[in-house]
Amino acid sequence: MIDIAAREAAVLWPTYLRPQVEFVRGEGVVLWDVHGREYLDFLGGIAVVAAGHAHPKVVAAVAGQLATLGHTSNLYFTGPQVDLAERLVDRFGGGAKVFLSNSGAEANEAAIKVARRWAKASRGERAIGIVAAVGGFHGRTLGTLAATGKPSIREPFEPLPPGFSHVPFGDARALAAAIGPDTAAVLLEPIQGEAGIRVPPDGYLAAAREITAEAGVLLIMDEIQSGMGRTGRFFAHQHAGIRPDVVTMAKALASGYPIGATIAVDEVSNAIRPGDHGSTFGGNPVACAAALATLDVIEPLLEGHVDRVGGRLAGGLLELRDRVDSPGAELRGAGLWYALDLGEHAPASAREVALAALSRGLVVNPVTETALRLAPPLVIEEADIDEGLLRLAGALQEVGACR
Ligand SMILES: Cc1ncc(COP(=O)(O)O)c(C=O)c1O
């Protein structure tokens, strides 16, 4: 066991099952551990480090803002907050307003609250229901856990707030059937991240938009993992050509500086009254400065770079999938976000492959028992993709999962 593991076990909650590695530095797509060993980061802090580690623009923005004005609370106006909200509303297509918080779970909590506030006023006091999807992941607070479609992580903490139901992901008929007079909103990830990068069938998101619009309920898209350019568009729902009523963001938005954002169309955000919601840190000037600099880095990558290098990654992963010794092997994902699923009868688990990859200097994670998640920084170039694929092939061979 490495030194820090024993120290940590004595003083930190045993919340995380970590591999035996301590990272101390990062630059671009490279991480270094405490012994100076170099790793290619194909996980990017779980789809967070989109601009790459220690991007000079992000570092300068954070340091400059912290040295100028670090915090005032939300009792006063601050420029970076408005600058960021303007950028996000613009990305969404206008006609909307933003609430800024500190994490994905908080962004979804705000979405649930604004949906209920709007629906009670416009659909009646009973309209508090949130329809979400089986397998969906929306956070670990009690409210977002209630929305999460994974009974194994919900059940230990029941009773959870009422009003949440779950339908199979990708089934438009089941979605339509679940909406009734008590429904306020439908909450979906456009592609389910924690379920193993599950892409819904073509037409599902457009159908969800149509069904919710017809029923007069809100469509909330959780873009916390899928957004900020991860799939090659700023928001993953843009591939389907739809405009949801509410969008939530976090993860990559500020390069790892904690932030959450909830965008709601004007009709919905205008339902909020002063005092309905708030946060001490949310929209903190330093987090907003980090987000603005991150957007400066990410936005130009959406003009072809993510599609190009993502295509190369997908091509290499498809070759690996074909070499996996398991009939159920599958590749899922888009842009620079993939799950290589080894299938139920694979000779090795995703955890075993991830550990073998780590020992070869490649960071990936087992997003499910059978699937490896890859979500490298969006700034990654072809040469690093090729090297990462070589290391992954070596790891798969080492554990006997691939020819
Ligand atoms: C789709 C989605 N929603 C919400 C969350 C929760 O975000 P956070 O961990 O920042 O609270 C996550 C985190 O993985 C996520 O992937």
Side-chain angles (χ1 to χ4, degrees):
M1 196 194 275
I2 60 175
D3 284 354
I4 198 165
R7 283 178 53 215
E8 164 168 322
V11 292
L12 280 161
W13 285 14
T15 316
Y16 303 106
L17 256 185
R18 312 187 206 266
Q20 299 286 306
V21 64
E22 180 189 357
F23 292 121
V24 292
R25 191 161 75 83
E27 192 181 317
V29 298
V30 179
L31 283 167
W32 285 270
D33 73 10
V34 69
H35 304 296
R37 199 163 164 235
E38 204 179 289
Y39 301 76
L40 274 176
D41 185 2
F42 269 42
L43 184 60
I46 317 185
V48 166
V49 191
H53 293 279
H55 193 289
K57 278 193 183 159
V58 179
V59 172
V62 168
Q65 186 60 50
L66 193 56
T68 310
L69 182 66
H71 182 79
T72 61
S73 88
N74 276 310
L75 298 178
Y76 309 100
F77 293 109
T78 48
Q81 199 171 104
V82 182
D83 292 343
L84 177 60
E86 284 173 351
R87 285 278 283 275
L88 296 179
V89 167
D90 197 40
R91 277 273 151 202
F92 179 67
K97 296 186 182 73
V98 182
F99 179 79
L100 293 166
S101 53
N102 312 286
S103 67
E106 283 176 74
N108 282 335
E109 287 282 346
I112 294 163
K113 283 181 74 174
V114 78
R116 286 188 168 173
R117 196 74 161 109
W118 169 85
K120 282 187 177 198
S122 63
R123 287 175 56 76
E125 275 298 311
R126 278 172 44 199
I128 55 111
I130 307 289
V131 180
V134 174
F137 182 78
H138 301 292
R140 304 275 191 170
T141 59
L142 292 177
T144 57
L145 206 48
T148 288
K150 291 183 165 189
S152 61
I153 61 171
R154 266 206 330 257
E155 280 162 6
F157 303 100
E158 288 176 345
L160 296 174
F164 294 84
S165 58
H166 298 89
V167 291
F169 185 59
D171 182 342
R173 271 199 202 166
L175 183 62
I179 296 173
D182 294 354
T183 308
V186 167
L187 167 59
L188 296 172
E189 293 162 84
I191 294 176
Q192 288 188 330
E194 297 303 307
I197 329 283
R198 300 246 164 221
V199 183
D202 279 350
Y204 177 65
L205 294 181
R209 176 65 288 185
E210 225 178 280
I211 291 163
T212 46
E214 252 172 45
V217 304
L218 302 180
L219 178 62
I220 307 171
M221 292 264 90
D222 178 340
E223 292 263 11
I224 285 160
Q225 192 163 156
S226 58
M228 289 71 67
R230 180 55 49 193
T231 67
R233 301 287 175 280
F234 191 75
F235 293 119
H237 69 253
Q238 290 168 332
H239 292 280
I242 62 160
R243 178 173 156 98
D245 304 297
V246 180
V247 177
T248 58
M249 311 166 70
K251 285 200 182 282
L253 183 54
S255 290
Y257 212 91
I259 195 165
T262 308
I263 306 180
V265 295
D266 285 336
E267 187 201 325
V268 175
S269 49
N270 290 344
I272 288 287
R273 297 280 160 265
D276 271 355
H277 199 45
S279 163
T280 296
F281 295 130
N284 171 289
V286 183
C288 291
L292 285 161
T294 302
L295 293 177
D296 286 345
V297 178
I298 291 174
E299 284 174 346
L301 302 173
L302 299 179
E303 288 156 21
H305 175 86
V306 174
D307 289 343
R308 195 182 72 250
V309 294
R312 191 166 184 111
L313 178 61
L317 289 171
L318 278 172
E319 277 176 30
L320 285 180
R321 180 207 60 186
D322 292 344
R323 285 168 52 197
V324 168
D325 277 328
S326 157
E330 192 175 71
L331 181 70
R332 299 183 294 266
L336 276 168
W337 192 34
Y338 290 99
L340 178 61
D341 200 321
L342 307 176
E344 263 181 53
H345 305 296
S349 69
R351 181 167 297 281
E352 287 168 300
V353 181
L355 286 174
L358 196 65
S359 73
R360 288 165 178 268
L362 177 72
V363 181
V364 292
N365 96 307
V367 63
T368 67
E369 269 177 33
T370 58
L372 292 158
R373 167 168 44 193
L374 296 92
L378 301 184
V379 293
I380 194 165
E381 294 290 351
E382 269 111 338
D384 287 326
I385 294 222
D386 294 348
E387 177 58 29
L389 284 165
L390 269 180
R391 293 182 193 183
L392 183 57
L396 285 161
Q397 270 169 334
E398 183 186 317
V399 301
C402 132
R403 290 186 286 273

